Amino acid sequence: MDFGLVLQTDPPASAVVGLMRRAERNGFRYGWTFDSSVLWQEPFVIYSRILEHTDRMTVGPMVTNPGTRTWEVTASTFATLNDMYGNRTVCGIGRGDSAMRVAGRDPDTLARLGDAIEAIRDLAEGREATVDGQRLRIPWVKEGRLPVWMAAYGPKALALAGRKADGFILQLADPYLTEWMVRAVRSAAADAGRDPDSVTVCVAAPAYVGEDLDHAREQCRWFGGMVGNHVADLVARYGEHSGLVPEALTEYIASRSGYDYSHHGRTGNPDAAFVPDGIVDRFCLLGPAEAHIEKLRILRDLGVDQFAVYNMHDAREATIDAYGSTVIPALSA
């Protein structure tokens, strides 16, 4: 199992670079960041510094979207980083939540997202692609490689990830839901004539190593509020009891009242007060290192290839170090 670290690009950028360097020293192979241009600093600028100051780490957004940058700009940015540092990027992409809504736009359609996945990958790897009806190719790209991993929850999005994406990003660590969603992605891949095992599966969730579970839950409760944004979209689209989305995912948002993106992804988010302890425990990894190892082994057996640690809490360095000393060696054995 691979491991990734997920950060917000809060200033100073040097702190983000420093944590990524610490993560690489502790065995993390991927460095991910949020991508929301109004809320945080520009991640692609910071990726260049991370790549310069690490040796093997692969970097990318968790996640970008098709709307805030034109597709040829996104592809060219990845291709430039790859040319400079040797194909060490990955494009995590979704419809767009905070990045689009904070700017007053709706998330993109799945149809547009599917077209963007193909176009960005083709352009970044030196092939011709259609962008807004225009055939384009970036002529200077030589031997570029850009895996595109798609974030998804709902049935149509899971099917799209299986058909078109190189990887699937699931932003929660509940084994029941992981099994359901991985099966949906791999079934869609098989139906599309692809090798189901060729789709990399990445589970991303907060991890907090420590004995004080009450404190850990409060540090990570924000995550249930963030996931609730996507669940609310699914309920609006499919209904709460449609059978198309597991009630194990939808039932907890019944008392959700709204969401202020100024607290997005942050400890103490008041819009996450509706999230019960049980959801925090299911969606996150909490407790002593042995508890993390036990849950990660279950996820690995369900087909998860990478666990990406959301590291937005008051024990960032300690969590990185605990994973490096205990958790990663146990899952790499």
Side-chain angles (χ1 to χ4, degrees):
M1 179 181 272
D2 283 333
F3 288 84
L5 185 72
V6 189
L7 299 173
Q8 295 169 332
T9 51
D10 289 313
S14 58
V16 177
V17 176
L19 287 169
M20 291 299 186
R21 294 180 67 189
R22 189 184 197 115
E24 185 181 61
R25 291 195 300 269
N26 276 282
F28 289 78
R29 293 189 57 221
Y30 284 76
W32 302 93
T33 74
F34 283 34
D35 177 16
S36 189
S37 300
V38 174
L39 296 177
W40 300 289
Q41 292 186 331
E42 175 54 38
F44 286 93
V45 176
I46 298 172
Y47 295 155
S48 188
R49 295 288 289 173
I50 295 170
L51 290 166
E52 181 181 1
H53 289 283
T54 57
D55 297 319
R56 300 169 303 280
M57 180 170 276
T58 295
V59 303
M62 188 175 283
V63 293
T64 193
N65 66 84
T68 53
R69 301 174 185 84
T70 61
W71 303 350
E72 72 274 16
V73 169
T74 299
S76 181
T77 304
F78 277 114
T80 301
L81 291 171
N82 284 337
D83 186 65
M84 293 171 68
Y85 299 104
N87 287 338
R88 290 168 54 201
T89 66
V90 57
C91 177
I93 195 168
R95 294 176 57 231
D97 179 35
S98 62
M100 297 294 281
R101 287 177 165 134
V102 166
R105 308 184 187 103
D106 292 329
D108 279 297
T109 65
L110 287 175
R112 181 171 168 81
L113 175 57
D115 291 342
I117 288 172
E118 294 180 328
I120 291 169
R121 180 171 52 214
D122 283 345
L123 290 170
E125 293 185 347
R127 296 184 295 276
E128 191 176 78
T130 300
V131 179
D132 295 329
Q134 180 72 31
R135 295 297 291 176
L136 300 175
R137 188 177 71 84
I138 303 176
W140 51 263
V141 174
K142 309 295 182 186
E143 300 181 357
R145 183 177 179 274
L146 182 67
V148 181
W149 297 7
M150 178 182 156
Y153 291 108
K156 293 182 179 178
L158 294 169
L160 177 61
R163 291 196 309 272
K164 294 193 175 185
D166 301 298
F168 161 50
I169 296 171
L170 173 58
Q171 292 164 312
L172 53 81
D174 176 71
Y176 171 79
L177 292 169
T178 297
E179 182 177 18
W180 186 87
M181 294 184 185
V182 169
R183 187 187 309 120
V185 169
R186 294 208 159 133
S187 176
D191 290 345
R194 305 178 66 195
D195 176 4
D197 293 330
S198 69
V199 182
T200 302
V201 176
C202 173
V203 161
Y208 195 104
V209 181
E211 299 289 343
D212 188 343
L213 280 177
D214 289 337
H215 181 74
R217 289 183 184 119
E218 290 311 311
Q219 288 293 305
C220 300
R221 195 175 305 277
W222 61 266
F223 184 67
M226 186 183 84
V227 173
N229 291 335
H230 303 287
V231 176
D233 285 345
L234 296 178
V235 170
R237 186 174 300 114
Y238 297 108
E240 187 174 354
H241 305 291
S242 65
L244 297 173
V245 181
E247 292 190 20
L249 180 61
T250 62
E251 61 189 2
Y252 86 96
I253 68 162
S255 58
R256 177 182 182 271
S257 59
Y259 197 82
D260 181 351
Y261 281 94
S262 65
H263 306 290
H264 189 57
R266 298 189 185 279
T267 295
N269 185 342
D271 296 319
F274 73 94
V275 180
D277 287 352
I279 287 292
V280 182
D281 292 347
R282 282 169 48 197
F283 285 10
C284 304
L285 276 76
L286 312 174
E290 293 74 17
H292 293 240
I293 292 168
E294 180 181 0
K295 189 168 185 178
L296 286 168
R297 283 176 172 156
I298 293 171
L299 293 171
R300 183 183 61 185
D301 290 345
L302 293 173
V304 175
D305 301 296
Q306 179 185 149
F307 177 60
V309 175
Y310 275 105
N311 204 33
M312 282 70 79
H313 49 58
D314 66 0
R316 296 187 300 175
E317 291 86 355
T319 295
I320 293 169
D321 293 346
Y323 264 68
S325 65
T326 307
V327 178
I328 293 176
L331 272 295
S332 300

